[in-house]
Amino acid sequence: MATTTAKRKPWHAIFSLLERDERVFAVLLAVAMVGGLATLGLVPLRPRQHIDLFALVVWFALYKLGIFALVTVQPHATRAIFLGALAIDLLLVFVLVLLTGGGDSLFYLLFFPLVAVNADYFGPWIAFVTALAAGGLMAAAASLAPPWIGWTGVTLLVVLFGLPAVIVGIVADRERRARGEVEGLLSRLQAAQQELLVSERMATVGRLSLKVAHEVRNPISAIEPNAEMLGDIVRARTGADMDEAGGLVTSIRDQVNTLDALTEEYLAFARFPKAHFEEESINQLVEELAAFVRPVADRQGLTMHVKTDPAVPMMEIDRALLRQAILNLVKNGQEALSRGGALTISSEALGDAVEIAVADTGPGIAPEVGGRLFEQFFTTKPQGTGLGLSISRQIIEEHGGELRWANRPGGGAVFTVRLPVKVARA
């Protein structure tokens, strides 16, 4: 029973699958053809041309009702159904003209609404072809049931059938295109409204999280020195319990330091300062940064290499921000070389750009990780914040540059900062 119910669709759901043009077209065509047939039936027929017009109108109306029902249950085949119905209508009008006097029959007038209404749905080209077909069928009926109306008469009928229909088709095509553009604009407007709503919500969440970060930082600042003092007290005492307590205090301090780093990086990211550009030496920045991290690298057992290109010009940069961006890349390289290796910082002039590269000899970056490297809060490190690379890219983009990464053929990864050489400001 449940399966049968699921397969059934209410009529309104089926109607919703049809375009408005298709429903209107089916009704218009039925009204035009049935109404035209009934109206022409008011004209008396000659005795030898007698047909049961009332029955014909009823059967024709039922036929049109069947077409409407067919496109209702087969909404995805409406164009093919209407093309088939058009061919049948042309043949039916031809037979009716042939049976009611041929060249003398008034029922040839049914070709006019047939061609015009189909032109509104199918467009000017189908209208032109339908007009030619109607003229050919009229000529055939007149030749089979004289009097012959002449080729001039056939040509006039084709023009009278086709010219208004082609114009109707052109106008209908333009109206459909215009309506499609309006619907597209409305869809884009609705999408923009949804994006604006999401942006407002995200801005609210951002403001709230910034306030939370501020509030969290204060107790963290108090916990860290208290934990340090507690550690001093524990270390001053002896015993197995004190050893275990010392380990717990150390764990607390590590977690507090991680949380502190997270809040600091988040606040730095959220309150990203506006860059202040001054003419500085990239090579000097690279060398000073290498000297700053070298003691830590030495303790870690790493080999530091610095390669600067003398052709690198003086450039307008925000020294503090750019230093922070490159330092984040260097820290990533150091963390990738926990078991030893080499870290290289280099600069190179490349025409209208300068590249700063930070390369390591570590294991490289896995493909599934590489696609998410610059996502905020994404990290593969147990104590990582997931904001370092996001901040670096934000700083570099503020300088009009780009940050990219690649795995080195010999092993390890390299992060490359590409900065455009800017003309010094006056």
Side-chain angles (χ1 to χ4, degrees):
M1 180 66 69
T3 304
T4 305
T5 305
K7 290 182 178 179
R8 291 177 180 171
K9 291 185 178 180
W11 282 102
H12 67 83
I14 297 175
F15 283 138
S16 67
L17 296 175
L18 296 172
E19 293 181 1
R20 186 187 66 182
D21 281 350
E22 293 165 344
R23 296 200 301 270
V24 171
F25 171 68
V27 174
L28 267 179
L29 189 57
V31 170
M33 296 302 294
V34 175
L37 182 61
T39 302
L40 291 175
L42 298 176
V43 179
L45 295 174
R46 298 174 185 177
R48 67 183 180 88
Q49 300 164 353
H50 180 72
I51 57 176
D52 190 349
L53 277 175
F54 178 79
L56 184 62
V57 170
V58 172
W59 282 108
F60 203 78
L62 292 175
Y63 153 66
K64 287 300 178 182
L65 184 61
I67 294 295
F68 188 85
L70 187 59
V71 298
T72 299
V73 298
Q74 296 289 336
H76 302 296
T78 49
R79 188 174 179 86
I81 293 170
F82 285 142
L83 280 173
L86 173 59
I88 294 172
D89 288 344
L90 287 170
L91 290 176
L92 288 175
V93 175
F94 164 71
V95 172
L96 186 59
V97 171
L98 183 63
L99 295 177
T100 56
D104 279 341
S105 175
L106 289 178
F107 285 93
Y108 78 92
L109 294 173
L110 291 175
F111 282 124
F112 286 101
L114 179 61
V115 175
V117 177
N118 279 280
D120 179 74
Y121 180 75
F122 288 108
W125 288 107
I126 295 294
F128 178 71
V129 173
T130 305
L132 290 178
L137 291 172
M138 184 62 199
S143 64
L144 292 173
W148 169 242
I149 60 176
W151 288 111
T152 301
V154 172
T155 303
L156 287 174
L157 285 176
V158 170
V159 173
L160 291 174
F161 293 152
L163 188 59
V166 169
I167 294 173
V168 168
I170 293 173
V171 172
D173 275 357
R174 289 183 177 178
E175 187 272 337
R176 276 190 286 267
R177 284 196 298 270
R179 190 173 62 196
E181 291 175 359
V182 171
E183 290 174 351
L185 288 173
L186 289 175
S187 297
R188 289 194 291 273
L189 178 60
Q190 291 174 351
Q193 289 175 337
Q194 290 296 325
E195 290 177 2
L196 179 60
L197 182 61
V198 171
S199 297
E200 290 177 351
R201 290 177 178 174
M202 292 301 295
T204 302
V205 171
R207 289 192 295 269
L208 180 60
S209 60
L210 188 60
K211 182 177 180 181
V212 170
H214 274 292
E215 296 299 327
V216 167
R217 187 172 58 171
N218 293 329
I220 288 175
S221 301
I223 292 172
E224 200 280 332
N226 289 332
E228 185 175 359
M229 288 188 294
L230 181 59
D232 293 338
I233 294 172
V234 170
R235 282 191 295 271
R237 300 175 181 271
T238 58
D241 290 344
M242 291 300 102
D243 291 340
E244 184 179 355
L248 293 174
V249 170
T250 301
S251 177
I252 291 172
R253 291 187 61 190
D254 289 342
Q255 296 301 320
V256 168
N257 289 334
T258 299
L259 190 57
D260 183 54
L262 175 61
T263 54
E264 287 298 327
E265 286 201 353
Y266 175 75
L267 290 172
F269 182 81
R271 299 180 305 184
F272 184 77
K274 184 174 178 60
H276 298 284
F277 297 97
E278 295 182 0
E279 194 170 88
E280 298 281 354
S281 169
I282 293 291
N283 286 343
Q284 185 180 0
L285 173 63
V286 169
E287 291 169 353
E288 290 181 358
L289 184 59
F292 174 74
V293 299
R294 193 181 298 276
V296 178
D298 291 341
R299 288 195 299 270
Q300 193 176 340
L302 307 180
T303 303
M304 286 284 302
H305 299 291
V306 181
K307 300 177 182 179
T308 55
D309 184 356
V312 173
M314 298 287 287
M315 295 174 58
E316 285 195 347
I317 59 173
D318 186 311
R319 183 183 181 87
L321 288 179
L322 190 58
R323 182 183 184 279
Q324 179 185 355
I326 301 172
L327 180 59
N328 287 341
L329 303 180
V330 172
K331 287 181 178 179
N332 276 356
Q334 289 177 310
E335 292 169 354
L337 298 172
S338 58
R339 298 181 181 178
L343 189 66
T344 303
I345 310 175
S346 62
S347 65
E348 184 180 6
L350 297 171
D352 59 350
V354 169
E355 288 190 350
I356 305 168
V358 178
D360 63 68
T361 58
I365 299 172
E368 61 272 15
V369 174
R372 304 184 60 189
L373 274 180
F374 300 107
E375 287 185 16
Q376 298 164 18
F377 303 108
F378 172 75
T379 181
T380 58
K381 307 165 192 171
Q383 304 297 327
T385 63
L387 286 173
L389 287 177
S390 295
I391 293 173
S392 293
R393 186 170 68 171
Q394 191 173 356
I395 291 171
I396 291 161
E397 289 178 348
E398 184 75 8
H399 282 74
E402 62 175 341
L403 173 62
R404 59 181 186 270
W405 71 274
N407 284 321
R408 304 171 68 192
V414 56
F415 284 83
T416 304
V417 176
R418 185 179 180 89
L419 300 174
V421 177
K422 298 180 180 178
V423 179
R425 296 184 179 91

